[in-house]
Amino acid sequence: MKLKVPVNSYEASVKQIEAGADEIYMGLEDFHFNRMSYSARAQIASSGVHANLTEADFAKSVQFAHSKNVTVNFTANCQHITKSEGDFYRKNFLEYVRRGISLGADAVIVADIGNLIALRKNGIDTPVIAGSYLNCFNSETVALLKDLGVFRICIPDQVTFNEIKSIKKNTCLEIEIFVGYGCSNLAGMCRFYHNSGEQIHVGVPCRAKFIRNNEESVSIMDACPDCAICSIPKLYDLGIDSLKLIGREMNIEEIVNITKMYKSAIQQYAMEGRFDRKEIISSISWWENEMCCERCKYEDTCLLRSYI
Amino acid sequence: MTTYEMRIDRLNFNTDINYDNIQAFSIGHESCILKFFKVIRNNELLKFIDKEKNLGKQIRIITPFIPERHLAEIKDVLAEINNIKCFHNSVIIVNDLGLMHYIHKMNENRQLCLGRNLLACFDYAPWGHRIYESEDLHIQKAVSQVSLYDDEKMDFFKKYNVTETEADVTKRTVKSLKEIQKSGFRVNIYKSSFTYGLQRSCYIKRYNIDQGCSGMECEYSEKLDLDELWCGAEFYKEQENINFPSPLYIRGNQIYGRAHDIPCDWADSIIISPEQNNTYKGADI
């Protein structure tokens, strides 16, 4: 079971790989945009963090990753390619993908049916991962994506352990799931786009507080599943191929600590056949307070019991 | 000519009043599979649509995204539907690509319509133009078009016998929706609401875990007004006008706001909800 983690600079690549990443994923800056990008994160997030890498940093990151037997996933997971004059927009997108591949990416993450088809039509045969924006909630969607030639599916946040088990049983494709911070809304169907290039501070809109029916102020939309530490043993036993953390738009130091924590959980279980939750989460002082109260992704908590 | 499509997605739908101004009914639910099952199996509603079908009205089926644990049951329901007379030749509106794939596999002649949840566009964000305002004009134009406006996707969906799409509309998306129409798809516009997100979690159950699901708990929406935003570690008051939609509404697992007030006489159909029946007599589009 691989641990796949985000990077947003060469330094971040080194830190994440040293922290135990088996796979890294990253996007490339693109001169066609000022703030947006062909990846699911803007070149510049509203926090000011550069979420994608320059070509030079990308190439160095690939080289370092490969020297440590770490694979590189390239983010081409935008949803916004539409018809344009002379098809320049799709052509630029394909050029972006080719650049990433020529710089050494091992696989491409795609999140739009049109882009998936266009890649193959244009002779790009690099392995493709179906991103979570493709909303793969069931085995029929897996079958469709298999027909379109992907080798791995990234299952969205809000899918239960038993559902993942069922999906996995019905397919030969690799399965990737999220283990870190998650979304309240179904990511591929959410219109509160953030970290997309906006120059305003919208925060994380689904975690905002609202006055409900002119009375109390509550974070009524907050249904974020943010942690899967306790589920590592059963995910390992199930044979999940890859566990994904998010955070290209965040301070990478914070993400590195989370990477270390998940890596130690996986290693402890894989090597010693045991799992000491207390010991694992003690590496991040605030984790228990923030996460161990109904933020589980795959355990039977109130959040999961509210799933339709 | 623009027609009116009435959404039947609640159990308390009034079957006693006159719907002379409505040409089509779509029954089911666009976001909640549990509600879908309850509505589509409700005898009173089935009797009502049977009556309307006999009056020459079009009957359509609206389906939500399908979590794996409900996949077998929706397949059963679709098999049942095939045997119900009033659903013969019904267009099925899909909000799940896997369900689209399955329905087409079972019956390649079944006409399908893409649900609005399958369409993406930066302009659908409340602060859409703030996302792309720094980009060159030709980029701005491309990213404010709805995602279906793409030859690869349109060709792909046509192979699945998708002949229509639903859509929310903003000022900047009108043009691309009209182009989609020119490419051979019917375009049906929501005038009852504008969707912002769906959840797997139903907030009613989240706030009261002992709450069962009779299908009646989410018949009405709750109104939400933004109080404080959240960023990383803390809540804060809105510091600049970010154009947050206010009020928002939450109903079951669905978050939506008011539809934008944009003329839609070019659309093939206007989708309305039961509470709007009196305001949509044909003059206000």
Side-chain angles (χ1 to χ4, degrees), chain B:
Chain B
M1 197 186 103
T2 306
T3 59
Y4 289 93
E5 174 185 328
M6 171 69 70
R7 182 59 42 88
I8 305 177
D9 62 358
R10 54 198 83 188
L11 298 170
N12 65 8
F13 180 85
N14 190 343
T15 55
D16 293 331
I17 58 173
N18 187 326
Y19 292 99
D20 282 352
N21 55 325
I22 301 298
Q23 291 79 40
F25 291 89
S26 46
I27 183 166
H29 205 274
E30 69 166 330
S31 66
C32 179
I33 186 68
L34 299 179
K35 190 83 172 187
F36 170 83
F37 288 143
K38 294 195 189 299
V39 170
I40 204 85
R41 287 171 167 152
N42 183 282
N43 282 332
E44 285 307 305
L45 296 176
L46 288 174
K47 262 189 241 165
F48 169 78
I49 56 166
D50 196 44
K51 184 190 86 188
E52 294 291 329
K53 172 96 173 183
N54 289 331
L55 292 172
K57 307 286 176 76
Q58 195 190 130
I59 305 300
R60 303 155 68 82
I61 300 160
I62 169 95
T63 59
F65 76 98
I66 315 294
E68 175 77 1
R69 71 178 173 209
H70 299 293
L71 189 58
E73 192 173 356
I74 184 95
K75 287 178 178 177
D76 290 345
V77 168
L78 290 172
E80 287 166 30
I81 281 170
N82 269 333
N83 297 321
I84 299 175
K85 203 176 131 206
C86 66
F87 290 129
H88 281 172
N89 303 321
S90 285
V91 170
I92 301 181
I93 304 155
V94 290
N95 281 290
D96 186 290
L97 293 178
L99 192 67
M100 175 192 79
H101 183 71
Y102 174 77
I103 294 170
H104 189 68
K105 207 165 48 182
M106 293 297 107
N107 176 5
E108 59 183 30
N109 295 318
R110 176 69 79 174
Q111 257 180 280
L112 300 175
C113 170
L114 289 186
R116 63 174 162 175
N117 298 319
L118 292 179
L119 265 51
C121 178
F122 278 133
D123 212 58
Y124 284 156
W127 40 83
H129 72 288
R130 303 300 302 271
I131 293 173
Y132 54 75
E133 64 186 354
S134 310
E135 308 302 334
D136 294 345
L137 282 178
H138 61 287
I139 301 268
Q140 291 196 22
K141 187 183 166 207
V143 301
S144 57
Q145 300 178 145
V146 295
S147 54
L148 178 61
Y149 185 46
D150 165 26
D151 287 336
E152 299 295 1
K153 285 191 278 273
M154 288 192 286
D155 289 348
F156 171 80
F157 287 119
K158 279 177 184 171
K159 285 179 193 152
Y160 280 92
N161 206 20
V162 172
T163 56
E164 311 181 15
T165 186
E166 294 186 338
D168 284 313
V169 64
T170 63
K171 239 188 238 174
R172 292 183 183 90
T173 51
V174 170
K175 208 172 165 194
S176 57
L177 289 168
K178 285 182 179 176
E179 291 297 328
I180 289 169
Q181 209 176 23
K182 280 187 204 160
S183 302
F185 291 88
R186 280 176 59 91
V187 175
N188 311 323
I189 298 295
Y190 276 83
K191 274 296 209 177
S192 51
S193 64
F194 189 98
T195 189
Y196 287 108
L198 315 181
Q199 303 198 332
R200 177 76 193 272
S201 165
C202 169
Y203 87 97
I204 298 169
K205 287 189 91 172
R206 202 161 63 240
Y207 274 74
N208 181 3
I209 204 63
D210 297 325
Q211 177 73 57
C213 182
S214 69
M216 293 302 290
E217 300 82 4
C218 53
E219 293 282 275
Y220 301 99
S221 56
E222 283 197 42
K223 185 165 85 78
L224 307 175
D225 291 297
L226 180 66
D227 185 14
E228 291 180 300
L229 289 160
W230 184 87
C231 185
E234 55 184 8
F235 289 97
Y236 61 97
K237 291 284 179 191
E238 189 179 355
Q239 288 153 354
E240 53 199 323
N241 181 14
I242 62 169
N243 210 23
F244 208 96
S246 188
L248 271 178
Y249 298 91
I250 189 165
R251 182 174 165 233
N253 69 334
Q254 201 173 12
I255 295 145
Y256 58 93
R258 290 191 186 120
H260 295 219
D261 187 18
I262 290 165
C264 290
D265 50 352
W266 52 271
D268 293 291
S269 187
I270 301 288
I271 304 161
I272 60 174
S273 61
E275 55 266 44
Q276 287 179 302
N277 192 39
N278 294 329
T279 54
Y280 282 86
K281 299 284 186 193
D284 189 25
I285 53 172

Side-chain angles (χ1 to χ4, degrees), chain A residues 227-235 262 265 275 277 281 292 296 299:
Chain A
C227 179
I229 275 289
C230 297
S231 310
I232 292 296
K234 64 183 183 186
L235 294 171
Y262 275 96
F275 177 77
R277 173 184 160 278
I281 62 173
C292 299
C296 298
E299 297 301 313

Side-chain angles (χ1 to χ4, degrees), chain A residues 153-166:
Chain A
I153 311 257
C154 180
I155 303 287
D157 265 320
Q158 299 86 352
V159 178
T160 67
F161 176 76
N162 283 336
E163 290 175 328
I164 294 167
K165 200 170 166 182
S166 166

